[in-house]
């Protein structure tokens, strides 16, 4: 095998194609690096920082860092797990996440990450921000209370749908998901079938009139932790 | 009233409907209409062929831009701790009383808006404010009343300037009351050099020889990070790309820094000369000076100096008669965003976008402005470059200390007799500096601004150099009467406001750090908080995407490490059964009022 890059993740040898990121190479090798904003079909963004690993001792986001020959990557260490736990907790307290009556519960990647990391309650105080709900669109609900600013919808609309429905406005704690219209989502060209609607990891963008079509208890992360698919595929190949 | 559609289309046409010039377009629209209204956003988007939300996104990012009308005059009071120490709070109160509005509001007649703004680069003449583009310094409550009276009378902030400052501050194109406060000149930056002298020497060499000289001089970036300049240039030169750029970072926003203001006022020729040499060395034809919005008052002078250099054959085509060497510089004005001092945010801003940092790799030397190889260097670095070419790398390398050749400009402010700009060889001790500036009874010094370190007397023997106390130049001095916890709170407030919000740790973490420090200031701190602050700071530093979040917790960490007793004095174990942060009386207040009696269990 020429033209491939060799490096290690937690001591395990991994091979990557040139141009692949650490995260992509890890996925292919069956090593799950926790992540939230990264999405297979979208260009990496590097916002949530949950996938932060150590590369030759220095922190890097695995989703944006290209793999390079001889890299020593640490991912599943107590130190990194602790940083990731804190980042996930920050995302919880920053918004208004009401898991117990959110339609996304069980399919939500933020919730699933919390379960995987054994987070029952965040150690940080809830910030209880005032955020707008935009229910103007006939088929899609936009509830900014649950937005984690991952930019998946922003990217999917541009990169997969060929539109520009979403973008961020404001900065810092006031950074907000906004829509390409003077007022609201109904004024954009968003279609309910757009990929931008599917990729939301949380319950911020929801299809209307589809509540609980899959009952709680039979949802994606009700049965196994997030990342299991990647690990299972790796185990199958390794066997 | 002219048709806004026509006017906006005209403005866009001036910039060839180029979306990468969105910052200039927005600034032009705002200066004409007072804000970038929803209608204006639509029109700009249409003219440039970009989504409307992209325009909205850029407008919403910068604190000097607004989508809602503000007063015809905007008074921006500097909110940094130095200004507060020298009496800004009573000044702010006086403005509020005389204007009849709170900070953040506009007078009912739409004439005057009152706002806070972070450090405007005038800490040596605090308290200070920006009134539109006009700088007013050494404010007092009396002056605040006079200012309001004059603004009510004429509506013209330029009429507030009675006595002009020294040097070019009195230049007809500047006419500012700002003082340079140059206290100590050194041989490198604050020294005269005839325009063109260094450039001619550079052009007599090959570009590779110029880079070799910069490497031999061991010059490191003066903005704070200290990356070797020669190496940065070499990477940019070697990167593939027909079009390359030189960018000068004049976005000095680190609170307590103002040395670039003085260079821009008095030594801009030296800086432009350094940029031109960089253009020659890396093979760039285009340069950009990214000027922070707070220094807009210097723009006419800088444009004038550029024109003089063009007329003298120091910019443009065949510079100094060197056939084929072409280079010119444009000024990009910022609009109030500290993060744009981070080089990749600065690139985003130059491209007309929100000042979000970019993912690295690729580095700007590979893919920078508009995807082209770009070298971004500090104002002071370019001055050093010109001097190195004039005097030789050996001369330069012998000044300063071993790992830190050359001199450094320090912006000294706070509790001292002579605040201002000092040029010293690298390697002087903090104690020497404090003696020279006339600082007594010093409790703490913030070295390198809020993103640097807060140190106490046990560190005064340390050296100001890259390998010890590194600094971009900000030195803020606090005497024993100052409340360090309050100062750290001010700094955290600054970082929380200035975070771009892209990544989780910086966006959320700085707010959480601020909350905790505020609780401690309100006597709700408990001993556990020390651990909480350590842990939270560690994650913000570790996981943040750019230098802002990677350094913002330094202010907390240096308080914890260097002044543990100052914090511990304010912490007490919770007295009763509740967390220290929980106030049972406040929690019960509403219920008690509704039921009309006080709690039996938790009676006051």
């Amino acid at each position: 095998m020429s033209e491939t890059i060799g490096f290690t993740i937690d001591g395990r040898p991994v091979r990557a194609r040139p141009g692949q990121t650490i995260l992509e190479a890890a996925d292919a090798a069956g090593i799950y690096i926790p992540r939230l904003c990264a999405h297979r079909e979208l260009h990496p963004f590097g916002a949530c920082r949950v996938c932060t690993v150590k590369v030759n001792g220095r922190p890097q986001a695995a989703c944006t860092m290209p793999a390079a020959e001889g890299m020593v990557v640490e991912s599943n260490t107590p130190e990194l797990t602790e940083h990731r736990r804190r980042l996930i907790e920050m995302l919880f307290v920053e918004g208004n996440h009401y898991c117990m009556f959110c339609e996304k519960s069980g399919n939500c990647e933020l919730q699933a990450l919390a379960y995987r990391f054994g987070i029952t309650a965040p150690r940080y105080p809830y910030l209880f921000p005032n955020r707008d709900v935009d229910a103007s669109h006939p088929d899609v609900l936009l509830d900014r209370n649950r937005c984690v600013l991952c930019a998946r919808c922003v990217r999917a609309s541009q990169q997969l749908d060929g539109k520009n429905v979403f973008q961020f406005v404001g900065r810092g704690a006031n950074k907000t998901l906004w829509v390409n219209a003077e007022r609201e989502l109904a004024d954009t060209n968003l279609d309910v079938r757009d990929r931008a609607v599917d990729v939301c990891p949380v319950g911020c963008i929801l299809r209307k009139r589809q509540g609980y079509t899959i009952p709680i208890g039979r949802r994606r992360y009700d049965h196994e932790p997030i990342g299991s698919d990647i690990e299972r595929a790796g185990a199958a190949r390794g066997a | 009233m002219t048709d806004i559609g026509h006017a906006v289309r005209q403005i866009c046409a001036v910039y060839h409907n180029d979306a990468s010039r969105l910052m200039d377009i927005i600034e032009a629209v705002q200066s004409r209409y007072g804000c970038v209204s929803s209608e204006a956003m639509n029109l700009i988007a249409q003219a440039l062929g970009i989504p409307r939300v992209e325009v909205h996104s850029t407008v919403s990012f910068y604190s000097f831009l607004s989508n809602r009308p503000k007063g015809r005059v905007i008074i921006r009071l500097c909110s940094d701790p130095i200004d507060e120490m020298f009496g800004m709070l009573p000044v702010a109160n006086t403005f509020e009383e005389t204007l009849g509005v709170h900070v953040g509001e506009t007078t009912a007649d739409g004439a005057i808006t009152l706002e806070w703004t972070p450090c405007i680069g005038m800490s040596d003449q605090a308290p200070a404010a920006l009134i539109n583009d006009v700088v007013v310094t050494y404010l007092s409550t009396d002056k605040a009343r006079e200012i309001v009276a004059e603004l009510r009378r004429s509506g013209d902030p330029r009429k507030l300037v009675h006595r002009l400052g020294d040097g070019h501050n009195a230049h007809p194109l500047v006419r500012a009351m700002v003082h340079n406060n140059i206290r100590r000149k050194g041989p490198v930056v604050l020294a005269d050099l005839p325009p063109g002298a260094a450039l001619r020497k550079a052009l007599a060499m090959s570009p590779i020889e110029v880079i070799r000289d910069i490497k031999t001089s061991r010059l490191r970036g003066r903005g704070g990070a200290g990356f070797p300049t020669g190496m940065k240039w070499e990477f940019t030169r070697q990167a593939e790309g027909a079009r390359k750029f030189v960018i000068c970072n004049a976005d000095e926003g680190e609170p307590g820094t103002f040395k670039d203001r003085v260079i821009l006022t008095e030594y801009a020729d030296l800086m432009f000369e350094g940029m031109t040499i960089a253009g020659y060395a890396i093979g760039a034809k285009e340069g950009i000076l990214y000027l922070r919005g707070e220094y807009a008052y210097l723009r006419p002078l800088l444009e004038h100096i550029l024109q003089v250099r063009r007329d003298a054959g120091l910019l443009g085509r065949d510079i100094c008669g060197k056939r084929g060497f072409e280079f010119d510089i444009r000024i990009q004005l910022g609009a109030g965003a500290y993060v744009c001092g981070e080089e990749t945010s600065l690139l985003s801003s130059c491209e007309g976008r929100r000042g979000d940092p970019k993912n690295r790799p690729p580095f700007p030397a590979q893919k920078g402005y508009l995807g082209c190889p770009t070298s971004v260097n500090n104002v002071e670095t370019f001055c050093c470059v010109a001097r190195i070419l004039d005097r030789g790398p050996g001369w330069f390398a012998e000044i300063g200390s071993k790992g830190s050749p050359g001199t450094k400009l320090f912006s000294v402010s706070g509790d001292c007799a002579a605040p201002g700009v000092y040029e010293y060889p690298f390697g002087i001790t903090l104690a020497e500096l404090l003696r020279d500036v006339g600082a007594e009874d010093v409790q703490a010094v913030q070295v390198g601004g809020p993103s640097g370190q807060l140190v106490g007397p046990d560190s005064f023997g340390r050296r100001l150099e890259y390998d010890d106390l590194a600094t971009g130049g900000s030195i803020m001095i606090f005497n024993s009467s100052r409340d360090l916890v309050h100062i750290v709170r001010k700094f955290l407030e600054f970082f929380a406001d200035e975070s771009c919000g892209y990544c989780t740790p910086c966006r959320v973490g700085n707010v959480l750090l601020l909350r905790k420090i505020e609780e401690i200031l309100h006597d709700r701190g408990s001993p556990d908080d020390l651990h909480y602050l350590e842990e939270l700071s560690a994650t913000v530093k570790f996981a943040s995407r750019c230098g802002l979040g990677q350094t913002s917790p330094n202010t907390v960490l240096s308080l914890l490490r260097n002044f543990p007793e100052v914090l511990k004095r304010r912490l007490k174990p919770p007295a009763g059964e509740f967390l220290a942060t929980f106030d049972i009386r406040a929690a019960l207040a509403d219920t008690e009022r509704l039921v009309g009696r006080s709690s039996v269990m938790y009676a006051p």
Side-chain angles (χ1 to χ4, degrees):
Chain A
M1 286 286 283
S2 61
E3 296 297 309
T4 67
I5 292 161
F7 68 105
T8 63
I9 300 178
D10 295 329
R12 279 172 62 182
V14 174
R15 299 215 68 88
R17 290 193 313 278
Q20 258 188 334
T21 62
I22 293 173
L23 191 78
E24 288 166 336
D27 281 0
I31 299 170
Y32 173 67
I33 299 175
R35 84 292 303 263
L36 186 62
C37 69
H39 187 279
R40 256 172 238 269
E41 295 170 73
L42 304 171
H43 295 311
F45 195 66
C48 74
R49 312 312 277 180
V50 172
C51 73
T52 303
V53 293
K54 272 192 177 176
V55 177
N56 303 331
R58 294 170 64 108
Q60 293 283 356
C63 70
T64 56
M65 189 68 190
E69 187 65 39
M71 266 181 175
V72 177
V73 177
E74 296 165 65
S75 175
N76 191 15
T77 66
E79 182 198 0
L80 285 161
T81 300
E82 187 50 36
H83 284 305
R84 287 173 186 153
R85 194 174 277 143
R86 290 179 202 155
L87 292 167
I88 295 163
E89 293 179 23
M90 285 183 201
L91 289 165
F92 269 103
V93 301
E94 176 193 30
N96 301 310
H97 294 279
Y98 16 72
C99 297
M100 63 297 288
F101 46 91
C102 174
E103 206 288 321
K104 204 63 177 265
S105 188
N107 288 325
C108 170
E109 294 178 41
L110 179 65
Q111 183 193 45
L113 277 170
Y115 281 135
R116 186 172 172 127
F117 280 85
I119 297 166
T120 46
R123 77 198 78 179
Y124 305 125
Y126 286 100
L127 299 178
F128 298 121
N130 246 324
R131 293 193 182 166
D132 293 332
V133 176
D134 181 342
S136 64
H137 195 283
D139 305 313
V140 178
L141 173 73
L142 180 62
D143 181 357
R144 296 186 178 91
N145 286 292
R146 297 174 246 185
C147 179
V148 288
L149 305 168
C150 68
R152 280 194 190 174
C153 58
V154 176
R155 288 174 284 160
S157 185
Q158 292 169 354
Q159 297 162 21
L160 304 178
D161 301 330
K163 300 180 183 179
N164 284 287
V165 175
F166 299 103
Q167 189 48 276
F168 296 114
V169 300
R171 74 179 187 210
N174 297 319
K175 184 176 177 178
T176 307
L177 180 64
W178 210 251
V179 299
N180 188 30
E182 273 191 58
R183 286 167 34 121
E184 51 195 13
L185 193 59
D187 305 328
T188 69
N189 59 350
L190 181 79
D191 186 275
V192 66
R193 288 158 299 186
D194 281 357
R195 296 287 288 128
V197 178
D198 296 320
V199 294
C200 182
V202 291
C204 171
I205 303 179
L206 294 170
R207 287 199 170 83
K208 288 184 175 174
R209 297 176 295 279
Q210 305 227 344
Y212 303 97
T213 46
I214 300 170
I216 299 282
R218 277 195 244 148
R219 295 175 165 213
R220 187 160 181 201
Y221 304 117
D222 288 342
H223 301 286
E224 54 178 19
I226 189 168
S228 300
D229 49 341
I230 292 168
E231 290 168 329
R232 206 166 36 240
R237 266 195 307 278
Chain B
M1 191 83 184
T2 358
D3 171 22
I4 183 171
H6 180 68
V8 169
R9 277 191 298 277
Q10 244 178 0
I11 289 168
C12 292
V14 169
Y15 296 98
H16 308 289
N17 295 326
D18 177 356
S20 76
R21 301 301 295 274
L22 186 57
M23 283 290 281
D24 305 83
I25 292 166
I26 288 171
E27 280 160 7
V29 170
Q30 175 161 300
S31 79
R32 175 139 183 190
Y33 292 99
C35 72
V36 185
S37 64
S38 194
E39 186 189 8
M41 285 185 205
N42 284 336
L43 292 163
I44 295 170
Q46 257 168 33
L48 304 182
I50 58 174
R52 174 196 199 280
V53 73
E54 296 289 340
V55 183
H56 187 181
S57 181
T58 297
V59 171
S60 67
F61 189 86
Y62 298 91
S63 36
F64 287 5
L65 303 177
S66 175
N67 60 355
R68 276 185 308 254
K70 287 188 180 177
R72 286 181 293 280
V73 173
I74 302 176
I75 301 175
R76 295 192 168 96
L77 306 172
C78 181
S79 66
D80 77 17
I82 303 292
D83 287 66
E84 194 178 290
M85 280 158 49
F86 289 92
M88 183 53 102
L89 292 182
V91 168
N93 288 338
T94 307
F95 273 115
E96 288 185 321
E97 282 163 22
T98 31
L99 290 167
V101 296
H102 293 109
V103 178
E105 295 173 352
T106 302
T107 53
D109 58 358
I112 302 172
T113 299
L114 187 63
E115 292 182 350
W116 286 117
T117 197
C119 190
I120 59 171
M122 302 287 160
S123 307
D124 56 336
Q125 36 216 304
L130 274 177
I131 302 185
N132 291 353
D133 288 350
V134 174
V135 182
V136 287
T137 59
Y138 298 116
L139 291 173
S140 62
T141 50
D142 284 349
K143 277 196 190 169
R145 274 185 280 270
E146 285 167 34
I147 286 170
V148 172
E150 178 59 53
L151 291 174
R152 286 239 165 90
R153 194 158 47 233
S154 68
D156 183 1
R158 285 170 302 179
K159 296 218 165 121
L160 299 170
V161 181
H162 302 301
R163 224 177 297 162
L164 299 175
D166 55 336
H168 279 152
N169 291 300
H171 192 286
L173 291 170
V174 182
R175 295 194 53 79
M177 64 168 81
V178 178
H179 288 272
N180 287 326
N181 289 330
I182 297 173
R183 307 285 184 178
R184 188 182 197 276
K185 290 188 175 188
V188 178
V189 182
L190 305 180
D192 292 325
L193 180 74
L199 181 56
R200 283 190 189 91
K201 289 184 184 169
L203 296 180
M205 296 191 264
S206 74
I208 289 167
E209 286 169 331
V210 172
I211 292 179
R212 189 202 56 203
D213 267 11
I214 298 300
K215 285 171 87 172
T216 309
S217 76
R218 291 182 289 119
L219 172 64
R220 297 169 68 174
R222 275 9 184 186
F227 192 81
T229 307
M231 210 189 284
K232 198 182 251 189
W233 286 13
E234 193 165 64
F235 292 151
T236 316
R237 175 163 187 86
Q238 288 167 350
E240 275 179 50
R243 204 174 166 201
K244 294 181 184 179
F245 289 90
V246 171
I247 296 187
C248 177
N249 184 345
D251 193 47
E252 68 169 349
E254 190 69 37
T257 319
F258 45 82
K259 50 106 185 162
D260 289 347
R261 177 198 85 213
V262 173
I263 295 177
L264 292 160
T265 308
E266 301 298 334
Y267 297 91
D269 250 314
L270 193 64
M271 170 191 72
F272 287 138
E273 184 124 342
M275 288 178 73
T276 313
I277 292 167
Y280 178 67
I282 68 170
K285 289 186 179 130
E286 293 159 90
I288 299 173
L289 173 70
Y290 187 90
L291 182 67
R292 69 184 305 221
E294 290 81 351
Y295 293 166
Y297 74 100
L298 292 170
R299 185 175 186 161
L301 173 72
L302 294 166
E303 296 280 11
H304 168 72
I305 293 171
L306 286 173
Q307 193 52 48
V308 171
R309 290 184 72 85
R310 280 181 204 114
D311 296 344
L314 299 173
L315 284 174
R317 286 171 190 277
D318 299 333
I319 291 173
C320 295
K322 179 93 175 177
R323 284 189 60 125
F325 174 47
E326 181 184 337
F327 187 76
D328 211 332
I329 297 169
R330 77 169 171 92
I331 296 175
Q332 177 71 60
L333 197 62
Y338 165 74
V339 72
C340 290
E342 196 281 337
E343 64 173 2
T344 62
S345 306
L346 185 149
L347 295 172
S348 299
S349 184
C350 283
E351 290 166 350
R353 288 200 267 255
R354 338 168 17 94
D356 287 338
K358 295 170 186 268
N359 286 318
R360 276 156 296 199
F363 290 89
Q366 305 159 289
K367 273 187 178 63
Y369 178 61
L370 302 176
C372 305
T374 304
S375 182
V376 184
N377 301 98
N378 180 263
V379 169
E380 191 180 342
T381 310
F382 282 119
C383 293
C384 294
V385 161
R387 191 71 60 186
I388 288 164
L389 266 295
D390 184 52
R391 301 294 300 268
W395 173 84
F396 181 85
E398 279 184 16
I399 304 169
S401 67
K402 196 158 169 281
S404 309
T407 61
K408 183 77 196 80
L409 295 195
F410 296 103
S411 314
V412 180
S413 66
D415 294 312
C416 64
V421 173
Y422 294 75
E423 180 175 1
Y424 280 101
F426 267 116
I428 65 149
T429 62
L430 191 49
E432 289 171 87
L433 180 84
L434 291 174
R435 187 198 56 216
D436 288 3
V437 306
E440 284 165 12
D441 183 27
V442 181
Q443 178 187 192
V445 182
Q446 183 78 40
V447 179
S451 69
Q453 297 179 65
L454 187 68
V455 298
D458 55 345
S459 289
F460 291 173
R462 293 175 64 186
R463 294 185 182 282
L464 294 160
E465 58 186 12
Y466 291 107
D467 304 322
D468 192 357
L469 276 177
T471 168
S474 170
I475 304 279
M476 291 187 260
I477 303 166
F478 304 113
N479 70 22
S480 63
S481 74
R482 310 299 178 186
D483 179 353
L484 298 181
V485 184
H486 173 72
I487 289 163
V488 168
R489 184 193 78 124
K490 296 280 290 177
F491 289 157
L492 286 171
E493 219 166 41
F494 167 76
F495 287 124
D497 282 348
E498 296 296 330
S499 165
C500 78
Y502 194 107
C503 74
T504 311
C506 179
R507 182 182 70 238
V508 189
N510 282 313
V511 173
L512 295 174
L513 284 170
L514 173 62
R515 289 256 172 140
K516 183 53 78 183
I517 289 289
E518 282 180 336
E519 282 170 5
I520 293 170
L521 270 172
H522 292 114
D523 296 325
R524 300 250 173 86
S526 72
D528 297 345
D529 291 346
L530 297 176
H531 184 61
Y532 176 98
L533 288 170
E534 282 270 3
E535 279 194 334
L536 184 54
S537 297
T539 295
V540 175
K541 274 178 83 73
F542 182 84
S544 283
R545 189 163 165 267
C546 84
L548 196 155
Q550 287 160 11
T551 58
S552 61
N554 288 350
T555 183
V556 178
L557 290 172
S558 53
L559 185 70
L560 284 168
R561 291 195 188 133
N562 303 335
F563 301 91
E565 71 293 347
V566 169
L567 257 183
K568 279 181 192 153
R569 230 181 293 156
R570 309 185 89 119
L571 306 174
K572 48 176 192 284
E577 60 206 286
F578 300 117
L579 293 172
T581 49
F582 182 69
D583 179 353
I584 181 66
R585 296 304 320 153
L588 288 171
D590 279 351
T591 314
E592 287 181 333
R593 195 169 42 77
L594 285 169
V595 298
R597 63 169 177 82
S598 59
S599 161
V600 178
M601 264 185 90
Y602 300 106

